[in-house]
Amino acid sequence: MRSTPPWTSRIFSTLAAMVAAYRIGLASALTAWPVLLGRAIFYGVCLMVLVAFWDKVGAQRLAGTLAVRLPPGGLGVYIGVTEWVTLSVPAIQLRLEDDIRSGALEPHLLRPKPYLAQTIAGEAGGMTARLAMLAVAGLALLAISGRPWPAGLGLVYVGVLGVIGALIGVLLYTLVGLTAFWLRRVLPALLIMQKLMFLLGGLFAPISFYPGWLHDLAAASPFAAHLAFAGQEVLTPSISDFSRALAAQAAWLVALVLAAALIWRAGLAKLMKGG
Amino acid sequence: MGTISTYAAQSLAAVRTSFADRTNFALQVLGMSVNNGFWLVLWFLFFAGFREVGGWRLGDVARMLGVIYTLFGLATVFFGGYRDLGGAILRGEIDPLLTQPKPILPRLLARESIPSAWGDLLTGIAILSFSARLDLGGVGLVVAAIAIGMTAWLSTAVTFASMAFWFAGGRSLSRDLMDFTLMVSTYPASIYSGWVKIVAFTVLPAGFVAVAPVGLMRDPSWQAAALAVGGAVAYAALALTVFHLGLRWYRRGATPGS
């Protein structure tokens, strides 16, 4: 009788722990349905304000400015997509900061299941519920608003790139949370990350409006993989852009998982050495 | 008087604690200053491309940012407990305060001072020194706008965080609501009309945190002063009511988040 190699069994055990954590995260989010509902209302309010801003800019159409390049329907749907992803990503950095600062992390280190993988999976479970709830809210708002729907398969592209983009967001916020090993508060790291999402992720304005060098820089960053690629599909949907975006997202997922693992190890080493 | 002196002693202790790790303090202040600089650069890029929004130009937005950074900095240095008030409720950190004779809310607010907020304070003052009118009357209006905006901001934070008395997810939602209120507060006031104006002066009171106080600075009048002060007082009353309702629920033994 052949026995399973220890590393294979470890991988299966880790995956099983992650699936269990994912299911708990999903169930917890669904149980707290009033909070989900509140988040959907919040999403609607966000859209109302941000769309009003861009509608005001678009209505002026000042000659010699970028306003003339705004799409005829405005940026309402683009904003809806980028905010859908942004508001679905859970605040995993808060949990990591709490556990690292308070020492609550230490009991987890004695257990055979990997803390970080389980935490990410649990938060991804909660994120699934948010993505679904906000998607329904977003589609309902789009129908009510009377704005044009994305052409062709645009909505499918947005769905796929948005979900993967949200996962990239969880990993980016995980990196922020792990800075708690060195900083007492992760707030500065969080705010810098958020501003990079605004600038390079296209949360402030589509990166296609940027000058060439800034557009290239943004497109090559994980922030575009997090937000801009999904948003861009409502402006100019195309299968070739979708395929390129998917490949870039896959590459960033791998890179961010590796980065999280490395930073986690470095943080643990610091914790073990100095407490 | 006892309440104020207890608050002041605890707040000063929190500020001193925040200075304890100097490297960490410097990193946080630097990080926040870079963050604020980023936001200003974003607006610079925006106005380079779009020139103006409803009559608001870069100088107007810079003045507003100066007020917001300064009020946010003051609130977070001296009342920093508001940042994670929802977390404190959920972790049961109110329990030891319930047995003590001093009012609970000021003690919760004074229990922490966030070092990075000094970065906000410094950038806010720096921006105002370049963009605001700094004669005696101008400085008076700036100080009034900051005091009014800070009252509205802290009141909003307490109101949102009090959701944690009833829902475990209230902590995360209140953080998102505050972050969004802050972000909306940095948009030009000229975008507010119709429903958006109603929202900005009710659900997400960016109107009372930024629009009304900055409006008082831009165009001082008794009406503008009444709107700004009235809004801040109304929000303070709402915050106290919601917090004490939550506290009453908590005293009954209801587990936070149940």
Side-chain angles (χ1 to χ4, degrees):
Chain A
M1 196 174 136
R2 284 169 56 188
S3 62
T4 318
W7 63 269
T8 319
S9 124
R10 258 210 320 271
I11 290 174
F12 278 122
S13 158
T14 300
L15 284 177
M18 288 177 73
V19 171
Y22 176 87
R23 290 175 62 181
I24 292 170
L26 178 61
S28 305
L30 292 175
T31 307
W33 63 267
V35 176
L36 271 182
L37 195 64
R39 190 166 286 276
I41 295 169
F42 172 44
Y43 175 58
V45 172
C46 286
L47 290 188
M48 192 186 275
V49 175
L50 297 177
V51 170
F53 171 72
W54 281 107
D55 282 352
K56 187 94 180 173
V57 174
Q60 293 185 166
R61 299 257 164 202
L62 293 176
T65 70
L66 287 174
V68 292
R69 281 175 52 193
L70 287 169
L75 287 178
V77 186
Y78 174 88
I79 301 286
V81 169
T82 51
E83 289 297 331
W84 167 57
V85 177
T86 300
L87 293 179
S88 295
V89 177
I92 188 171
Q93 76 283 354
L94 288 181
R95 174 140 177 228
L96 292 171
E97 182 188 60
D98 276 355
D99 286 355
I100 294 169
R101 283 184 74 209
S102 68
L105 175 67
E106 274 126 52
H108 289 278
L109 302 179
L110 301 171
R111 295 174 189 160
K113 308 291 182 191
Y115 164 84
L116 189 61
Q118 268 189 303
T119 305
I120 291 173
E123 296 292 345
M127 185 178 74
T128 307
R130 290 178 181 191
L131 279 167
M133 181 74 183
L134 297 189
V136 171
L139 292 173
L141 288 170
L142 181 56
I144 294 167
S145 72
R147 286 171 193 264
W149 288 67
L153 286 171
L155 219 48
V156 177
Y157 299 156
V158 167
V160 174
L161 296 177
V163 170
I164 301 173
L167 206 51
I168 289 173
V170 172
L171 292 170
L172 287 169
Y173 283 118
T174 299
L175 298 185
V176 169
L178 292 178
T179 61
F181 279 117
W182 293 272
L183 303 172
R184 278 180 208 282
R185 285 281 181 194
V186 302
L187 185 65
L190 172 69
L191 290 175
I192 290 172
M193 182 74 83
Q194 282 178 342
K195 293 304 169 291
L196 288 171
M197 284 170 183
F198 273 99
L199 181 64
L200 302 179
L203 194 55
F204 190 71
I207 60 171
S208 52
F209 281 25
Y210 293 172
W213 65 272
L214 189 55
H215 170 267
D216 294 346
L217 179 70
S221 74
F223 306 104
H226 170 38
L227 293 169
F229 293 159
Q232 203 62 39
E233 287 301 320
V234 297
L235 298 177
T236 50
S238 81
I239 183 73
S240 56
D241 282 352
F242 171 68
S243 311
R244 267 198 300 275
L246 210 53
Q249 283 188 327
W252 277 116
L253 271 181
V254 174
L256 290 170
V257 166
L258 286 175
L262 285 173
I263 295 173
W264 169 251
R265 280 180 163 221
L268 274 190
K270 178 182 180 286
L271 193 71
M272 297 298 182
K273 196 175 159 195
Chain B
M1 206 56 204
T3 303
I4 293 173
S5 57
T6 307
Y7 157 75
Q10 197 176 348
S11 181
L12 285 176
V15 171
R16 274 200 299 272
T17 307
S18 75
F19 289 152
D21 183 344
R22 291 193 182 178
T23 312
N24 178 60
F25 180 83
L27 276 174
Q28 300 235 17
V29 173
L30 187 70
M32 188 55 78
S33 305
V34 171
N35 165 72
N36 293 343
F38 242 128
W39 196 236
L40 201 59
V41 167
L42 271 176
W43 278 113
F44 178 81
L45 286 172
F46 174 84
F47 282 106
F50 293 95
R51 207 180 309 150
E52 65 161 70
V53 184
W56 276 57
R57 290 175 173 254
L58 182 61
D60 300 302
V61 171
R63 242 183 321 277
M64 190 171 69
L65 287 179
V67 169
I68 291 167
Y69 289 157
T70 308
L71 75 87
F72 181 84
L74 286 171
T76 314
V77 166
F78 298 107
F79 303 88
Y82 84 85
R83 283 290 296 171
D84 200 19
L85 184 56
I89 293 167
L90 289 173
R91 288 190 295 266
E93 289 171 15
I94 290 182
D95 293 352
L97 302 180
L98 288 174
T99 59
Q100 296 169 21
K102 302 291 181 188
I104 291 170
L105 186 57
R107 298 204 58 192
L108 282 170
L109 294 178
R111 60 204 281 279
E112 195 163 20
S113 173
I114 313 284
S116 57
W118 287 98
D120 288 305
L121 199 51
L122 293 176
T123 42
I125 292 169
I127 293 172
L128 282 174
S129 65
F130 285 109
S131 61
R133 193 164 60 89
L134 290 177
D135 55 24
L136 195 59
V139 169
L141 284 171
V142 169
V143 171
I146 290 168
I148 293 166
M150 190 171 84
T151 306
W153 172 254
L154 284 171
S155 306
T156 309
V158 171
T159 308
F160 288 158
S162 296
M163 283 192 295
F165 280 119
W166 291 278
F167 306 110
R171 179 194 187 194
S172 172
L173 183 59
S174 69
R175 282 247 178 178
D176 286 347
L177 285 167
M178 287 310 290
D179 286 348
F180 190 72
T181 302
L182 183 62
M183 194 195 78
V184 169
S185 302
T186 62
Y187 277 74
S190 57
I191 69 167
Y192 298 110
S193 61
W195 277 103
V196 180
K197 194 164 192 171
I198 293 173
V199 167
F201 281 88
T202 52
V203 191
L204 290 175
F208 292 118
V209 173
V211 178
V214 173
L216 178 65
M217 261 173 71
R218 275 169 65 100
D219 188 13
S221 68
W222 287 112
Q223 287 95 324
L227 175 71
V229 174
V233 169
Y235 264 87
L238 178 69
L240 289 174
T241 307
V242 174
F243 180 81
H244 284 102
L245 281 175
L247 198 59
R248 195 184 298 170
W249 169 258
Y250 188 90
R251 278 182 200 271
R252 270 193 242 145
T255 310
S258 64

